[in-house]
Amino acid sequence: MTDNVNAYAATDGVAPDRWASALHLFDNGAGVPHEETTVERWERAGLLFEARDYSAAAKLLAVVVEEAPEQTGPRLLLARAYYHSAQLKRAEEQLRVIVERDPVEHYAHLMLGRTLQRQGRQDEAEPWLRMAGAFAGEFTDDE
């Protein structure tokens, strides 16, 4: 049995069969484009978020959340992307879904409080921020 890697001559170009097989890394066979999976969209959205392209991340995450509505992680990142791109009503909507489904998701409580604050709704924000503080073990002096 020969080693295929070493069977290629060291020339200036890439062997045609190697090039043809590399093309299939990007499609589902000859001429069939690769369709991105939900997991791949989730990963790409995370990269966009890390790159601070919050609007693009939000667009992609909205698709991920639609495809996997029961998952908290993508929905929370979508809310964060909305928050950072000043789409505060959308962030609030996503955060309310999260705290309704998972009442002990402390970060969602904090984000919801901050989102309401940023909209100038301090009175509505206070209970969410207190709850987030309680989850974190922070208590005010009056308690």
PDB file of all heavy atoms in Angstrom, residues 80-100:
ATOM      1  N   ARG A  80     -28.658  39.241  23.549  1.00  0.00           N
ATOM      2  CA  ARG A  80     -27.450  40.067  23.742  1.00  0.00           C
ATOM      3  C   ARG A  80     -27.094  40.816  22.467  1.00  0.00           C
ATOM      4  O   ARG A  80     -26.703  41.981  22.514  1.00  0.00           O
ATOM      5  CB  ARG A  80     -26.287  39.193  24.198  1.00  0.00           C
ATOM      6  CG  ARG A  80     -26.471  38.633  25.597  1.00  0.00           C
ATOM      7  CD  ARG A  80     -25.335  37.715  26.001  1.00  0.00           C
ATOM      8  NE  ARG A  80     -24.074  38.448  26.040  1.00  0.00           N
ATOM      9  CZ  ARG A  80     -22.888  37.867  25.909  1.00  0.00           C
ATOM     10  NH1 ARG A  80     -22.799  36.554  25.752  1.00  0.00           N
ATOM     11  NH2 ARG A  80     -21.786  38.583  25.965  1.00  0.00           N
ATOM     12  N   ALA A  81     -27.216  40.148  21.317  1.00  0.00           N
ATOM     13  CA  ALA A  81     -26.925  40.806  20.039  1.00  0.00           C
ATOM     14  C   ALA A  81     -27.912  41.945  19.793  1.00  0.00           C
ATOM     15  O   ALA A  81     -27.524  43.029  19.346  1.00  0.00           O
ATOM     16  CB  ALA A  81     -26.977  39.792  18.896  1.00  0.00           C
ATOM     17  N   TYR A  82     -29.189  41.709  20.109  1.00  0.00           N
ATOM     18  CA  TYR A  82     -30.186  42.777  19.993  1.00  0.00           C
ATOM     19  C   TYR A  82     -29.842  43.930  20.935  1.00  0.00           C
ATOM     20  O   TYR A  82     -29.905  45.096  20.555  1.00  0.00           O
ATOM     21  CB  TYR A  82     -31.579  42.256  20.319  1.00  0.00           C
ATOM     22  CG  TYR A  82     -32.250  41.461  19.217  1.00  0.00           C
ATOM     23  CD1 TYR A  82     -33.154  40.452  19.535  1.00  0.00           C
ATOM     24  CD2 TYR A  82     -32.019  41.725  17.871  1.00  0.00           C
ATOM     25  CE1 TYR A  82     -33.800  39.728  18.544  1.00  0.00           C
ATOM     26  CE2 TYR A  82     -32.650  40.996  16.880  1.00  0.00           C
ATOM     27  CZ  TYR A  82     -33.553  40.004  17.221  1.00  0.00           C
ATOM     28  OH  TYR A  82     -34.198  39.291  16.236  1.00  0.00           O
ATOM     29  N   TYR A  83     -29.474  43.613  22.153  1.00  0.00           N
ATOM     30  CA  TYR A  83     -29.122  44.642  23.135  1.00  0.00           C
ATOM     31  C   TYR A  83     -27.968  45.504  22.629  1.00  0.00           C
ATOM     32  O   TYR A  83     -28.035  46.728  22.652  1.00  0.00           O
ATOM     33  CB  TYR A  83     -28.761  43.974  24.464  1.00  0.00           C
ATOM     34  CG  TYR A  83     -28.342  44.944  25.548  1.00  0.00           C
ATOM     35  CD1 TYR A  83     -29.289  45.541  26.370  1.00  0.00           C
ATOM     36  CD2 TYR A  83     -26.997  45.251  25.759  1.00  0.00           C
ATOM     37  CE1 TYR A  83     -28.918  46.419  27.371  1.00  0.00           C
ATOM     38  CE2 TYR A  83     -26.618  46.135  26.755  1.00  0.00           C
ATOM     39  CZ  TYR A  83     -27.578  46.720  27.561  1.00  0.00           C
ATOM     40  OH  TYR A  83     -27.199  47.608  28.537  1.00  0.00           O
ATOM     41  N   HIS A  84     -26.912  44.849  22.166  1.00  0.00           N
ATOM     42  CA  HIS A  84     -25.720  45.581  21.723  1.00  0.00           C
ATOM     43  C   HIS A  84     -25.941  46.341  20.422  1.00  0.00           C
ATOM     44  O   HIS A  84     -25.188  47.270  20.129  1.00  0.00           O
ATOM     45  CB  HIS A  84     -24.526  44.639  21.592  1.00  0.00           C
ATOM     46  CG  HIS A  84     -23.977  44.187  22.905  1.00  0.00           C
ATOM     47  ND1 HIS A  84     -23.426  45.041  23.826  1.00  0.00           N
ATOM     48  CD2 HIS A  84     -23.911  42.956  23.467  1.00  0.00           C
ATOM     49  CE1 HIS A  84     -23.027  44.375  24.884  1.00  0.00           C
ATOM     50  NE2 HIS A  84     -23.324  43.097  24.700  1.00  0.00           N
ATOM     51  N   SER A  85     -26.945  45.942  19.649  1.00  0.00           N
ATOM     52  CA  SER A  85     -27.239  46.673  18.412  1.00  0.00           C
ATOM     53  C   SER A  85     -28.428  47.618  18.606  1.00  0.00           C
ATOM     54  O   SER A  85     -29.023  48.076  17.630  1.00  0.00           O
ATOM     55  CB  SER A  85     -27.493  45.701  17.255  1.00  0.00           C
ATOM     56  OG  SER A  85     -28.610  44.865  17.519  1.00  0.00           O
ATOM     57  N   ALA A  86     -28.764  47.905  19.873  1.00  0.00           N
ATOM     58  CA  ALA A  86     -29.809  48.858  20.251  1.00  0.00           C
ATOM     59  C   ALA A  86     -31.194  48.478  19.736  1.00  0.00           C
ATOM     60  O   ALA A  86     -32.037  49.333  19.515  1.00  0.00           O
ATOM     61  CB  ALA A  86     -29.432  50.276  19.816  1.00  0.00           C
ATOM     62  N   GLN A  87     -31.444  47.183  19.603  1.00  0.00           N
ATOM     63  CA  GLN A  87     -32.775  46.693  19.259  1.00  0.00           C
ATOM     64  C   GLN A  87     -33.414  46.217  20.568  1.00  0.00           C
ATOM     65  O   GLN A  87     -33.623  45.032  20.791  1.00  0.00           O
ATOM     66  CB  GLN A  87     -32.681  45.559  18.235  1.00  0.00           C
ATOM     67  CG  GLN A  87     -32.028  45.985  16.927  1.00  0.00           C
ATOM     68  CD  GLN A  87     -31.924  44.831  15.958  1.00  0.00           C
ATOM     69  OE1 GLN A  87     -32.924  44.239  15.572  1.00  0.00           O
ATOM     70  NE2 GLN A  87     -30.689  44.501  15.577  1.00  0.00           N
ATOM     71  N   LEU A  88     -33.704  47.176  21.427  1.00  0.00           N
ATOM     72  CA  LEU A  88     -34.043  46.877  22.810  1.00  0.00           C
ATOM     73  C   LEU A  88     -35.390  46.179  22.979  1.00  0.00           C
ATOM     74  O   LEU A  88     -35.538  45.322  23.853  1.00  0.00           O
ATOM     75  CB  LEU A  88     -33.989  48.155  23.643  1.00  0.00           C
ATOM     76  CG  LEU A  88     -32.619  48.849  23.633  1.00  0.00           C
ATOM     77  CD1 LEU A  88     -32.672  50.142  24.421  1.00  0.00           C
ATOM     78  CD2 LEU A  88     -31.544  47.920  24.178  1.00  0.00           C
ATOM     79  N   LYS A  89     -36.371  46.527  22.183  1.00  0.00           N
ATOM     80  CA  LYS A  89     -37.672  45.843  22.279  1.00  0.00           C
ATOM     81  C   LYS A  89     -37.516  44.365  21.917  1.00  0.00           C
ATOM     82  O   LYS A  89     -38.099  43.501  22.572  1.00  0.00           O
ATOM     83  CB  LYS A  89     -38.703  46.499  21.350  1.00  0.00           C
ATOM     84  CG  LYS A  89     -39.216  47.811  21.856  1.00  0.00           C
ATOM     85  CD  LYS A  89     -40.123  47.596  23.034  1.00  0.00           C
ATOM     86  CE  LYS A  89     -40.777  48.893  23.438  1.00  0.00           C
ATOM     87  NZ  LYS A  89     -41.479  48.757  24.704  1.00  0.00           N
ATOM     88  N   ARG A  90     -36.738  44.087  20.888  1.00  0.00           N
ATOM     89  CA  ARG A  90     -36.497  42.696  20.492  1.00  0.00           C
ATOM     90  C   ARG A  90     -35.729  41.951  21.577  1.00  0.00           C
ATOM     91  O   ARG A  90     -36.002  40.786  21.861  1.00  0.00           O
ATOM     92  CB  ARG A  90     -35.751  42.640  19.165  1.00  0.00           C
ATOM     93  CG  ARG A  90     -36.602  43.041  17.991  1.00  0.00           C
ATOM     94  CD  ARG A  90     -35.823  42.965  16.714  1.00  0.00           C
ATOM     95  NE  ARG A  90     -36.694  43.185  15.579  1.00  0.00           N
ATOM     96  CZ  ARG A  90     -36.293  43.225  14.335  1.00  0.00           C
ATOM     97  NH1 ARG A  90     -35.006  43.044  14.051  1.00  0.00           N
ATOM     98  NH2 ARG A  90     -37.153  43.438  13.364  1.00  0.00           N
ATOM     99  N   ALA A  91     -34.747  42.622  22.171  1.00  0.00           N
ATOM    100  CA  ALA A  91     -33.992  41.997  23.262  1.00  0.00           C
ATOM    101  C   ALA A  91     -34.933  41.669  24.416  1.00  0.00           C
ATOM    102  O   ALA A  91     -34.886  40.567  24.970  1.00  0.00           O
ATOM    103  CB  ALA A  91     -32.879  42.930  23.731  1.00  0.00           C
ATOM    104  N   GLU A  92     -35.785  42.610  24.753  1.00  0.00           N
ATOM    105  CA  GLU A  92     -36.738  42.396  25.840  1.00  0.00           C
ATOM    106  C   GLU A  92     -37.641  41.192  25.548  1.00  0.00           C
ATOM    107  O   GLU A  92     -37.875  40.361  26.433  1.00  0.00           O
ATOM    108  CB  GLU A  92     -37.587  43.653  26.036  1.00  0.00           C
ATOM    109  CG  GLU A  92     -38.615  43.525  27.127  1.00  0.00           C
ATOM    110  CD  GLU A  92     -39.510  44.750  27.253  1.00  0.00           C
ATOM    111  OE1 GLU A  92     -39.222  45.812  26.656  1.00  0.00           O
ATOM    112  OE2 GLU A  92     -40.531  44.631  27.975  1.00  0.00           O
ATOM    113  N   GLU A  93     -38.144  41.094  24.330  1.00  0.00           N
ATOM    114  CA  GLU A  93     -39.018  39.974  23.959  1.00  0.00           C
ATOM    115  C   GLU A  93     -38.312  38.632  24.167  1.00  0.00           C
ATOM    116  O   GLU A  93     -38.888  37.704  24.747  1.00  0.00           O
ATOM    117  CB  GLU A  93     -39.453  40.088  22.495  1.00  0.00           C
ATOM    118  CG  GLU A  93     -40.417  41.213  22.214  1.00  0.00           C
ATOM    119  CD  GLU A  93     -40.606  41.444  20.720  1.00  0.00           C
ATOM    120  OE1 GLU A  93     -40.091  40.650  19.884  1.00  0.00           O
ATOM    121  OE2 GLU A  93     -41.267  42.437  20.371  1.00  0.00           O
ATOM    122  N   GLN A  94     -37.080  38.527  23.699  1.00  0.00           N
ATOM    123  CA  GLN A  94     -36.335  37.269  23.836  1.00  0.00           C
ATOM    124  C   GLN A  94     -36.044  36.949  25.297  1.00  0.00           C
ATOM    125  O   GLN A  94     -36.152  35.801  25.726  1.00  0.00           O
ATOM    126  CB  GLN A  94     -35.031  37.326  23.023  1.00  0.00           C
ATOM    127  CG  GLN A  94     -35.235  37.441  21.533  1.00  0.00           C
ATOM    128  CD  GLN A  94     -36.056  36.303  20.957  1.00  0.00           C
ATOM    129  OE1 GLN A  94     -35.894  35.146  21.336  1.00  0.00           O
ATOM    130  NE2 GLN A  94     -36.949  36.622  20.039  1.00  0.00           N
ATOM    131  N   LEU A  95     -35.696  37.958  26.063  1.00  0.00           N
ATOM    132  CA  LEU A  95     -35.377  37.745  27.476  1.00  0.00           C
ATOM    133  C   LEU A  95     -36.612  37.325  28.273  1.00  0.00           C
ATOM    134  O   LEU A  95     -36.525  36.476  29.156  1.00  0.00           O
ATOM    135  CB  LEU A  95     -34.745  39.004  28.059  1.00  0.00           C
ATOM    136  CG  LEU A  95     -33.352  39.297  27.503  1.00  0.00           C
ATOM    137  CD1 LEU A  95     -32.947  40.740  27.794  1.00  0.00           C
ATOM    138  CD2 LEU A  95     -32.330  38.313  28.054  1.00  0.00           C
ATOM    139  N   ARG A  96     -37.753  37.879  27.928  1.00  0.00           N
ATOM    140  CA  ARG A  96     -38.986  37.477  28.618  1.00  0.00           C
ATOM    141  C   ARG A  96     -39.332  36.018  28.316  1.00  0.00           C
ATOM    142  O   ARG A  96     -39.814  35.300  29.195  1.00  0.00           O
ATOM    143  CB  ARG A  96     -40.130  38.417  28.264  1.00  0.00           C
ATOM    144  CG  ARG A  96     -39.982  39.787  28.917  1.00  0.00           C
ATOM    145  CD  ARG A  96     -41.215  40.649  28.746  1.00  0.00           C
ATOM    146  NE  ARG A  96     -41.017  41.987  29.247  1.00  0.00           N
ATOM    147  CZ  ARG A  96     -41.117  42.343  30.532  1.00  0.00           C
ATOM    148  NH1 ARG A  96     -41.413  41.436  31.444  1.00  0.00           N
ATOM    149  NH2 ARG A  96     -40.937  43.596  30.902  1.00  0.00           N
ATOM    150  N   VAL A  97     -39.081  35.581  27.096  1.00  0.00           N
ATOM    151  CA  VAL A  97     -39.302  34.170  26.762  1.00  0.00           C
ATOM    152  C   VAL A  97     -38.392  33.291  27.609  1.00  0.00           C
ATOM    153  O   VAL A  97     -38.820  32.272  28.154  1.00  0.00           O
ATOM    154  CB  VAL A  97     -39.075  33.912  25.251  1.00  0.00           C
ATOM    155  CG1 VAL A  97     -39.051  32.417  24.950  1.00  0.00           C
ATOM    156  CG2 VAL A  97     -40.132  34.610  24.409  1.00  0.00           C
ATOM    157  N   ILE A  98     -37.139  33.705  27.742  1.00  0.00           N
ATOM    158  CA  ILE A  98     -36.171  32.905  28.511  1.00  0.00           C
ATOM    159  C   ILE A  98     -36.583  32.800  29.973  1.00  0.00           C
ATOM    160  O   ILE A  98     -36.613  31.704  30.536  1.00  0.00           O
ATOM    161  CB  ILE A  98     -34.742  33.485  28.387  1.00  0.00           C
ATOM    162  CG1 ILE A  98     -34.236  33.345  26.952  1.00  0.00           C
ATOM    163  CG2 ILE A  98     -33.793  32.785  29.357  1.00  0.00           C
ATOM    164  CD1 ILE A  98     -32.982  34.132  26.657  1.00  0.00           C
ATOM    165  N   VAL A  99     -36.901  33.934  30.621  1.00  0.00           N
ATOM    166  CA  VAL A  99     -37.228  33.866  32.048  1.00  0.00           C
ATOM    167  C   VAL A  99     -38.561  33.158  32.287  1.00  0.00           C
ATOM    168  O   VAL A  99     -38.767  32.583  33.359  1.00  0.00           O
ATOM    169  CB  VAL A  99     -37.207  35.248  32.740  1.00  0.00           C
ATOM    170  CG1 VAL A  99     -35.814  35.847  32.714  1.00  0.00           C
ATOM    171  CG2 VAL A  99     -38.207  36.199  32.153  1.00  0.00           C
ATOM    172  N   GLU A 100     -39.439  33.176  31.307  1.00  0.00           N
ATOM    173  CA  GLU A 100     -40.692  32.428  31.447  1.00  0.00           C
ATOM    174  C   GLU A 100     -40.423  30.924  31.401  1.00  0.00           C
ATOM    175  O   GLU A 100     -40.976  30.154  32.172  1.00  0.00           O
ATOM    176  CB  GLU A 100     -41.655  32.812  30.326  1.00  0.00           C
ATOM    177  CG  GLU A 100     -43.000  32.111  30.411  1.00  0.00           C
ATOM    178  CD  GLU A 100     -43.939  32.543  29.310  1.00  0.00           C
ATOM    179  OE1 GLU A 100     -44.087  33.763  29.088  1.00  0.00           O
ATOM    180  OE2 GLU A 100     -44.509  31.650  28.652  1.00  0.00           O
TER     181      GLU A 100
END
